């Protein structure tokens, strides 16, 4: 059998069921990799080794009894924004360093019900605000392909952990690209589901419609299986999508029908252009899709530039409303204070207008795109950037500008509610990963998984590992 960490989660589950390995052995193996590599990468804020080993022993007993859930005993991890009962959950903030929730996020209960065992909490920027991961709790998350460069954000610790095979799969969340950005920067697969696909309950809120949980994985089939575990509405959800009639893992095994795929590379932001590396990745993916029999059509970017300032009103209002004690304001990072100040300056009327503008505008965009089955763009405009690049000026305005230079594509699909995935199909001459993004119409998560799995089969990436983390 391959080294345990070389197996994806689906193969690990099969090895557990066949008795080739025990969950205790599997968890101990991954905890050993975390002990060796996690500090270098800034991947974990908290490691819950003792708790994980107890659950591994329980999983072994379940498997022996024949009544185990499908992924009983397989390691995973939860983002440090995600409430986990009895476990430190810092939100990436020194102000929340000692916070221990008394309740699980619903997605934690669902993932654990599928049998996965959490090994800890993965690194995230303060309150998930940035497209790069850095904070005053443990510092930056780094891509295993070059630890001098940031892993992306805000699910940067999760992506680094999966890319370095510290865990086979991990939960992330995405309000403006926070799954797809680090997936691209770390050379793995990341999937943002359709709006309403994963519940924000019981204490989270989907008030803006921008954010939701999703999977980060080394294989499409693992991402589909993890989303199958997550995609169950909770009673009272504001925007619930119905239970998928066909599991996403099944969609990932189905060949897609011939699709009409629209592509564009021009950003919707004046003066912001993709790098040559981003264009190379996008052109290569276009040729691959055509070779698989799909029709690839060039169109203009359908999203107008006016979305950006309205998105910022909503984004800043969200952090401005966060229940942070006044006495803790002084320990917040400058970027967090900047966004809180912007949110406080917006009126209720301006927030309402921004929400309405996003809904009306993206509804029209989606209506205009009905002639197509999927959409192809670069994931990011730039390759992974040096750890200090985003905030080296110390000016939050410049920080925000650099984030737009880095990621001008991803947030559009949060605004429209479309499913979107980053696929690790390209590496630069310097050996840095550059993802491409495939998206579908709202609710078409299943066909998108089929397309992604077909692409993966044609251009496999699972065995491509970052040097030093094999």
């Amino acid at each position: 059998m391959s080294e345990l960490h070389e197996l994806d989660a689906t193969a690990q589950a099969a090895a557990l069921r066949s008795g080739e390995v025990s969950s205790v052995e599997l968890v101990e193996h991954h905890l050993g990799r975390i002990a060796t590599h996690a500090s270098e990468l800034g991947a974990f804020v908290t490691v819950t080794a003792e708790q994980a080993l107890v659950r591994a022993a329980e999983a072994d007993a379940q498997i022996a009894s024949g009544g185990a859930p499908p992924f009983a005993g397989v390691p995973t991890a939860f983002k440090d924004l995600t409430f986990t009962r009895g476990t430190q959950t810092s939100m990436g903030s020194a102000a929340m360093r000692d916070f221990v929730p008394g309740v699980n996020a619903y997605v934690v209960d669902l993932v654990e019900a599928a049998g996965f065992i959490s090994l800890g909490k993965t690194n995230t920027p303060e309150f998930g605000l940035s497209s790069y991961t850095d904070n005053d709790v443990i510092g930056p998350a780094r891509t295993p392909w070059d630890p001098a460069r940031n892993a992306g954000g805000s699910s940067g610790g999760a992506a680094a952990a999966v890319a370095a095979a510290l865990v086979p799969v991990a939960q992330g969340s995405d309000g403006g690209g926070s799954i797809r950005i680090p997936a691209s920067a770390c050379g793995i697969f990341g999937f943002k589901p359709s709006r309403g696909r994963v519940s924000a309950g019981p204490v989270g809120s989907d008030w803006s419609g921008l954010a939701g949980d999703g999977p980060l994985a080394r294989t499409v089939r693992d991402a589909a299986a993890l989303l199958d575990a997550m995609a169950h509405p909770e009673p009272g959800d504001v925007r619930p999508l119905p239970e998928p009639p066909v599991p996403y893992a099944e969609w990932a095994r189905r060949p897609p029908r011939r699709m009409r795929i629209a592509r564009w590379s021009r950003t919707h932001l004046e003066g912001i252009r993709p790098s040559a590396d981003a264009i190379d990745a996008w052109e290569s993916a276009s040729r691959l899709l055509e070779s698989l029999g799909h029709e690839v059509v060039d169109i203009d970017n359908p999203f107008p530039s006016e979305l950006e300032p309205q998105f910022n009103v909503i984004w800043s209002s969200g952090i401005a409303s966060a229940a942070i004690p006044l006495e803790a304001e002084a320990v917040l990072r400058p970027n967090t204070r900047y966004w809180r100040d912007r949110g406080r300056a917006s009126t209720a009327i301006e927030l309402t207008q921004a929400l309405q503008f996003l809904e009306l505008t993206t509804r029209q965009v989606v209506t205009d795109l009905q002639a197509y089955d999927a959409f192809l763009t670069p994931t990011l405009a730039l390759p992974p950037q040096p750890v200090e690049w985003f905030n080296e000026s110390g000016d939050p305005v410049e920080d925000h500008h650099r984030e737009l230079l880095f990621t001008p594509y991803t947030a559009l699909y949060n605004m429209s509610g479309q499913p979107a995935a980053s696929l690790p199909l390209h590496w630069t001459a310097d050996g840095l990963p550059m993802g491409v993004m495939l998206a579908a119409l709202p609710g078409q998560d299943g066909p998108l998984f089929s397309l992604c799995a077909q692409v993966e089969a044609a251009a496999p990436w699972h065995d491509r590992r970052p040097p030093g983390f094999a």
Side-chain angles (χ1 to χ4, degrees), residues 87-468:
T87 301
Q88 178 185 344
T89 301
S90 75
M91 311 287 180
S93 176
M96 304 289 287
R97 191 188 300 269
D98 299 321
F99 175 59
V100 178
V103 63
N104 277 338
Y106 186 46
V107 71
V108 171
D109 286 336
L110 291 170
V111 170
E112 291 184 341
F116 289 100
I117 295 174
S118 175
L119 305 191
K121 304 303 294 294
T122 57
N123 201 6
T124 186
E126 190 164 54
F127 300 108
L129 280 174
S130 303
S131 60
Y132 61 95
T133 296
D134 196 1
N135 58 46
D136 294 333
V137 180
I138 67 162
R142 303 166 185 269
T143 175
W145 293 93
D146 179 356
R149 295 173 184 264
N150 200 277
S154 63
S155 305
V162 171
L166 310 186
V167 290
V169 292
Q171 169 264 349
S173 56
D174 191 319
S178 290
I179 287 171
R180 293 156 289 150
I181 295 165
S184 179
C186 293
I188 62 171
F189 181 74
F191 192 95
K192 181 199 84 70
S194 292
R195 177 180 293 141
R197 183 65 72 198
V198 179
S199 174
V203 295
S205 171
D206 190 24
W207 69 275
S208 69
L210 294 176
D213 294 295
L216 290 140
R218 295 199 302 273
T219 61
V220 174
R221 69 178 185 175
D222 274 5
L226 187 55
L227 185 57
D228 279 330
M230 296 177 175
H232 304 285
E234 188 175 38
D237 283 346
V238 175
R239 299 179 177 89
L241 290 177
E243 298 270 353
V246 176
Y248 296 122
E250 173 61 28
W251 277 106
R253 290 189 290 268
R254 292 182 176 182
R257 61 183 174 83
R258 184 175 189 266
M259 291 189 176
R260 191 164 190 245
I261 301 172
R263 73 168 198 160
W264 64 88
S265 64
R266 184 180 62 82
T267 79
H268 70 300
L269 301 172
E270 185 66 31
I272 295 182
R273 295 179 175 84
S275 66
D277 288 319
I279 293 297
D280 286 347
W282 175 72
E283 293 282 17
S284 177
S286 299
R287 292 191 295 271
L288 177 59
L289 289 163
E290 288 179 329
S291 76
L292 293 170
H294 302 292
E295 180 187 6
V296 179
V297 181
D298 284 292
I299 67 169
D300 290 332
N301 188 328
F303 293 92
S305 61
E306 290 80 8
L307 284 166
E308 179 65 21
Q310 303 305 320
F311 176 88
N312 290 335
V313 170
I314 299 167
W315 191 255
S316 61
S317 296
I319 186 58
S321 67
I324 301 169
L326 286 176
E327 60 271 19
E329 292 272 348
V331 303
L332 298 178
R333 288 169 70 92
N335 197 44
T336 305
R337 294 199 299 271
Y338 165 77
W339 284 106
R340 279 174 71 79
D341 288 344
R342 284 191 65 168
R344 287 165 175 156
S346 297
T347 67
I349 292 173
E350 289 170 333
L351 174 58
T352 302
Q353 289 173 334
L355 288 165
Q356 291 174 335
F357 183 85
L358 256 64
E359 180 178 350
L360 296 175
T361 303
T362 59
R363 178 189 290 138
Q364 186 60 55
V365 169
V366 170
T367 298
D368 293 342
L369 293 176
Q370 291 296 304
Y372 305 101
D373 303 297
F375 313 97
L376 174 68
T377 69
T379 303
L380 298 173
L382 299 173
Q385 292 298 297
V387 165
E388 65 278 3
W389 182 74
F390 290 96
N391 53 20
E392 63 186 348
S393 72
D395 178 6
V397 176
E398 176 62 19
D399 179 301
H400 178 51
H401 176 64
R402 293 191 181 193
E403 291 192 66
L404 293 178
L405 292 173
F406 182 55
T407 180
Y409 300 103
T410 55
L412 295 169
Y413 293 128
N414 298 85
M415 299 183 219
S416 64
Q418 295 171 249
S422 181
L423 290 75
L425 290 176
H426 185 80
W427 272 258
T428 70
D430 296 329
L432 297 173
M434 287 292 299
V436 297
M437 189 160 55
L438 281 170
L441 295 168
Q444 296 301 300
D445 307 55
L448 181 57
F449 269 119
S450 291
L451 178 62
C452 291
Q454 183 191 45
V455 170
E456 178 187 31
W461 58 72
H462 175 255
D463 290 333
R464 186 160 187 168
R465 304 293 171 81

